[in-house]
Amino acid sequence: MNILQINASARRATDDQGSVSTRLANELTAGLRAGNPAATVTVRDLTLTPQPVLDEAALGALFTPADQRSPEQAARVALDDALIAELQAADTVVIGVPMYNFNITAQLKNWIDAIARAGVTFKYGEKGPVGLVTGKKVYIVTSRGGIHRGQPSDQMTPYLRAVLAFLGMTDVEFVYAEGMAFAAEQGIANARAQISELLIA
């Protein structure tokens, strides 16, 4: 098993401090590895190595034929290529991401924009888009200040399900640490219980 962990908080996690979503993602990854001692783990921490935003220069590089790219354009495309290669090599993906202003972080959006590439991770067929990143199990560990699960205010869950399915990843499980602004200990305990259930299943 090859496990890819994506840390998509704006904060790092150090011991019991910092990013809750990253700390819980670490615990889930550790649990998966404990059940598969031969598993390899690749960690992509978007706080330590942030992915550049998809801007006009990046689009220009992507739409320029590879043999005609400037050194700067080739370097920019290579950043996205590295993320795509990590994803393609993974059997299991663990994403730790908090809710910021009712949706995902800018760090995770930049990662999604990097990996969503026509002809590589999806294509358009006669009946519409076809995801090319298949056969992967995805776990999303998310922390929220309030209680949003199953509510109209939770725009994260449907968005992530939709974009991952678009790329071919439909086997997705969510872990929720909610109420972190007023009941953090309970929120973390609930998330850990969910993680335990997933590891047993």
Side-chain angles (χ1 to χ4, degrees):
M1 176 190 288
N2 295 323
I3 303 170
L4 172 62
Q5 180 177 327
I6 306 294
N7 298 336
S9 173
R11 297 191 301 168
R12 289 178 289 176
T14 305
D15 298 326
D16 291 330
Q17 303 297 319
S19 173
V20 171
S21 63
T22 298
R23 284 157 47 198
L24 291 170
N26 289 343
E27 293 178 18
L28 176 53
T29 296
L32 292 170
R33 193 170 189 181
N36 298 271
T40 63
V41 178
T42 299
V43 177
R44 172 64 67 166
D45 193 318
L46 299 173
T47 300
L48 297 177
T49 55
Q51 184 69 10
V53 68
L54 182 63
D55 58 10
E56 186 175 22
L59 286 172
L62 288 165
F63 283 100
T64 298
D67 61 352
Q68 298 177 28
R69 289 172 185 152
S70 68
E72 293 78 14
Q73 288 178 320
R76 177 62 184 84
V77 174
L79 294 176
D80 291 358
D81 288 346
L83 300 190
I84 291 172
E86 287 177 348
L87 178 62
Q88 291 173 329
D91 303 300
T92 301
V93 182
V94 177
I95 302 174
V97 58
M99 174 185 280
Y100 289 171
N101 300 315
F102 303 103
N103 215 314
I104 64 171
T105 64
Q107 287 80 3
L108 186 59
K109 182 59 166 63
N110 290 344
W111 181 80
I112 290 170
D113 288 341
I115 65 167
R117 186 184 298 175
V120 179
T121 55
F122 72 93
K123 66 180 181 179
Y124 289 103
E126 294 181 356
K127 298 182 180 180
V130 178
L132 302 177
V133 186
T134 58
K136 301 183 189 302
K137 178 75 175 184
V138 181
Y139 298 94
I140 297 175
V141 183
T142 178
S143 57
R144 293 102 176 273
I147 306 295
H148 301 279
R149 184 178 182 180
Q151 303 298 315
S153 58
D154 184 1
Q155 300 176 49
M156 283 183 65
T157 301
Y159 169 74
L160 287 171
R161 285 196 185 281
V163 73
L164 291 173
F166 179 80
L167 299 176
M169 292 172 278
T170 56
D171 189 359
V172 181
E173 299 281 0
F174 281 80
V175 172
Y176 300 90
E178 296 202 297
M180 299 305 298
F182 51 86
E185 289 186 7
Q186 187 60 55
I188 292 174
N190 290 342
R192 284 175 171 156
Q194 294 168 53
I195 289 171
S196 295
E197 291 178 5
L198 290 172
L199 292 174
I200 293 172

